[in-house]
DNA sequence: CTGGATCCCTATTGATACTG
DNA sequence: CAGTATCAATAGGGATCCAG
């Protein structure tokens, strides 16, 4: 086993587990769509109403991708008017578990992130302003 | 508390924990950059070499955002040539934990996803081909 | 009601060149 | 080596119309 360059374990992280992950839930819509199905089957129009800001195009595209990846299944009811239900497959459900950890992290640490942002922005403000003046921002 | 429509717990999932999360690690580069720093401090050029496909522009932008969110800190060494090291803050490190769960999920389930994709694509192939012929694909 | 197809615009991103 | 500025290409995403 050639072990000459032991300093850097991986010279390229393009093919790591995270890349696989990102290949699956690349878009934010995918995550939100999965979240929408957490409680059970969801209909097309329901997605549209619950996921604020999503367009039909993006919704269809997202659902198709998730279906292709085996994360959800489509139930088509041949009624009039037609009804289509989307539900998570066992594979899709299994993704919910790590996803919930991420969500918990976000909820728990978001205040810290906001603080950091605030501090960073204030600092940048000072840096920019220090060139011509000292400070004049009174908005806390 | 108006509890008239109890059927749908949340009519809009645009402001949920996942949205907060996506606000922080929206881009795939952010995840890969964090991963790159898992083992310790990383220098600018090192990111460029290890994260295949990233451009200087995207790298800078990503690092800036992560710094702003308090996930990493910049160490500037005033030497010649200048050296800048990036390392995860405790906050950034705390994100590694749920992130590893996601990575594990991806690694564990990727084969299933590939199977699903394969099956889906084959199915689509048949659907498209069945219009003019039955089947002629001998490539397994 | 579901969702495919089209047009179109804007934001994201990559390549290059330049500075400290 | 680290980072910025500019420009051009691309595709992500929205609005609309149409069909099953």
């Amino acid at each position: 086993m050639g072990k000459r360059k032991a300093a850097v374990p991986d010279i390229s992280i393009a093919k790591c587990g995270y890349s696989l992950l990102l290949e699956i839930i690349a878009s934010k819509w995918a995550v939100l769509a999965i979240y929408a199905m957490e409680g059970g089957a969801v209909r097309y129009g329901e997605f549209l109403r619950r996921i604020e800001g999503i367009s039909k195009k993006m919704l269809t595209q997202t659902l198709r991708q998730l279906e292709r990846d085996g994360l959800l299944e489509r139930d088509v009811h041949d009624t009039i008017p037609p009804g289509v239900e989307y539900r998570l497959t066992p594979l899709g459900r299994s993704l919910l578990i790590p996803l919930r950890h991420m969500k918990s992290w976000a909820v728990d640490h978001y205040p810290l992130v906001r603080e950091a942002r605030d501090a960073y922005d204030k600092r940048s403000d000072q840096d920019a302003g220090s060139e011509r003046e000292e400070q004049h921002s009174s908005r806390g």
Side-chain angles (χ1 to χ4, degrees), chain A:
Chain A
M1 328 275 192
K3 210 181 177 185
R4 302 209 173 145
K5 304 168 108 176
V8 180
D10 53 344
I11 206 62
S12 164
I13 61 181
K15 299 276 173 58
C16 66
Y18 290 114
S19 296
L20 307 182
L21 173 68
L22 294 165
E23 198 181 294
I24 296 165
I25 49 162
S27 85
K28 63 172 183 173
W29 300 125
V31 178
L32 294 176
I34 289 169
Y35 173 47
M37 289 180 287
E38 196 179 23
V42 176
R43 294 188 51 186
Y44 189 82
E46 209 179 331
F47 279 114
L48 236 44
R49 266 174 270 122
R50 290 177 59 191
I51 305 178
E52 205 174 309
I54 197 171
S55 65
K56 289 204 280 182
K57 181 178 176 179
M58 278 300 99
L59 176 58
T60 300
Q61 189 176 304
T62 301
L63 292 175
R64 281 249 249 158
Q65 194 199 307
L66 292 175
E67 187 191 1
R68 189 172 101 103
D69 287 352
L71 269 55
L72 65 78
E73 59 186 357
R74 260 182 62 182
D75 268 324
V76 182
H77 303 288
D78 246 32
T79 56
I80 297 186
V84 181
E85 284 189 336
Y86 297 85
R87 74 184 69 246
L88 289 173
T89 61
L91 179 60
R93 293 221 148 261
S94 73
L95 177 56
L96 281 176
I97 293 140
L99 223 44
R100 285 201 196 100
H101 291 177
M102 292 295 291
K103 179 186 165 190
S104 292
W105 180 90
V107 172
D108 290 349
H109 300 266
Y110 195 71
L112 287 174
V113 171
R114 284 202 66 162
E115 274 181 42
R117 276 185 198 167
D118 213 49
Y120 183 93
D121 290 345
K122 201 174 294 181
R123 213 180 312 141
S124 298
D125 243 20
Q126 280 182 10
D127 287 351
S130 65
E131 263 186 47
R132 57 167 189 266
E133 256 180 282
E134 204 163 307
Q135 50 98 337
H136 60 283
S137 58
S138 51
R139 269 187 59 87

